[in-house]
Amino acid sequence: MGEVHLKWMREAMAMAEEALAAKEVPVGCVFVRDGKIIAKARNRTNELRNATRHAELEAIDQILADKELTPEITQYPLSTTTLYVTVEPCIMCGSALRQMGIKEVYYGCANDRFGGNGSVLGVNEELPHPVHPSYRSTGGYCREDAIMILRRFYITENTNAPVPKSKANRVLKTEILPMVSTPTGPI
């Protein structure tokens, strides 16, 4: 793994830690253009009581609101931008990224329940689209860290859940199975 990718993934992990501290599902991301971060965000679904406020969409809103980052309206405002995110984008976010013309995505761990970049559905490139170009998505960067922060969250009580489940007897699992390769890449 390239040092540059690890540098940006560490920044995304810092946003995930911030999400965990705020009692959010710990997903963080950074958008990088021309070798610098142009936006970073974390999940805010619990805070805003809005299931669409995933880290990627929070950051996209920042980019679109900044006239220096998007000085003119274009069909693909993210065409020269790379996303680093701790967890594979979900189907909703993967679709939004494709519609925005993201250049490429690097992520930590697979999203086995809602993954939109190949784990569940490949909206990034497997599904044909008549207008929006596909984008490459590569997983496995800081994978173990991404898995462990999710586990740290999921053993705690989620007081924001509609029906909180008692997790008093849960134990943090530290064993991480190796990545599995699929025709679309590692998961």
Side-chain angles (χ1 to χ4, degrees):
M1 289 191 259
E3 282 302 311
V4 171
H5 296 314
L6 290 176
K7 171 186 170 183
W8 300 129
M9 281 303 297
R10 286 187 197 108
E11 293 285 341
M13 286 302 303
M15 295 307 297
E17 288 287 350
E18 189 178 303
L20 181 65
K23 296 183 172 34
E24 296 281 355
V25 174
V27 177
C29 72
V30 295
F31 282 76
V32 177
R33 184 185 295 159
D34 298 326
K36 64 182 181 193
I37 294 173
I38 62 168
K40 56 185 177 178
R42 62 172 175 83
N43 275 6
R44 294 179 65 206
T45 57
N46 292 333
E47 176 186 341
L48 299 176
R49 296 178 183 216
N50 181 339
T52 68
R53 302 321 308 161
H54 290 191
E56 299 95 325
L57 299 183
E58 286 284 305
I60 288 171
D61 284 353
Q62 291 174 29
I63 295 166
L64 296 178
D66 187 328
K67 297 295 183 200
E68 289 183 23
L69 296 174
T70 52
E72 57 188 56
I73 297 172
T74 65
Q75 184 173 11
Y76 299 117
L78 301 179
S79 64
T80 60
T81 307
T82 299
L83 167 65
Y84 292 86
V85 61
T86 58
V87 178
E88 173 190 3
C90 70
I91 294 166
M92 173 183 68
C93 292
S95 179
L97 291 164
R98 188 165 182 174
Q99 291 174 51
M100 300 297 291
I102 192 77
K103 179 181 174 184
E104 59 191 339
V105 172
Y106 294 92
Y107 63 88
C109 63
N111 183 340
D112 296 331
R113 294 182 69 197
F114 308 108
N117 283 203
S119 291
V120 175
L121 191 63
V123 297
N124 63 311
E125 62 186 357
E126 290 171 19
L127 296 177
H129 194 281
V131 177
H132 305 303
S134 63
Y135 63 89
R136 188 183 64 169
S137 184
T138 308
Y141 291 88
C142 297
R143 176 179 172 267
E144 291 82 8
D145 294 335
I147 290 170
M148 287 308 298
I149 196 169
L150 288 169
R151 286 181 181 174
R152 285 172 38 214
F153 173 78
Y154 283 114
I155 65 165
T156 64
E157 303 287 333
N158 182 358
T159 56
N160 296 308
V163 181
K165 296 177 184 173
S166 175
K167 297 185 180 178
N169 296 326
R170 294 245 175 136
V171 175
L172 179 64
K173 294 188 327 188
T174 57
E175 179 187 6
I176 298 174
L177 299 175
M179 262 190 330
V180 176
S181 288
T182 67
T184 60
I187 56 171

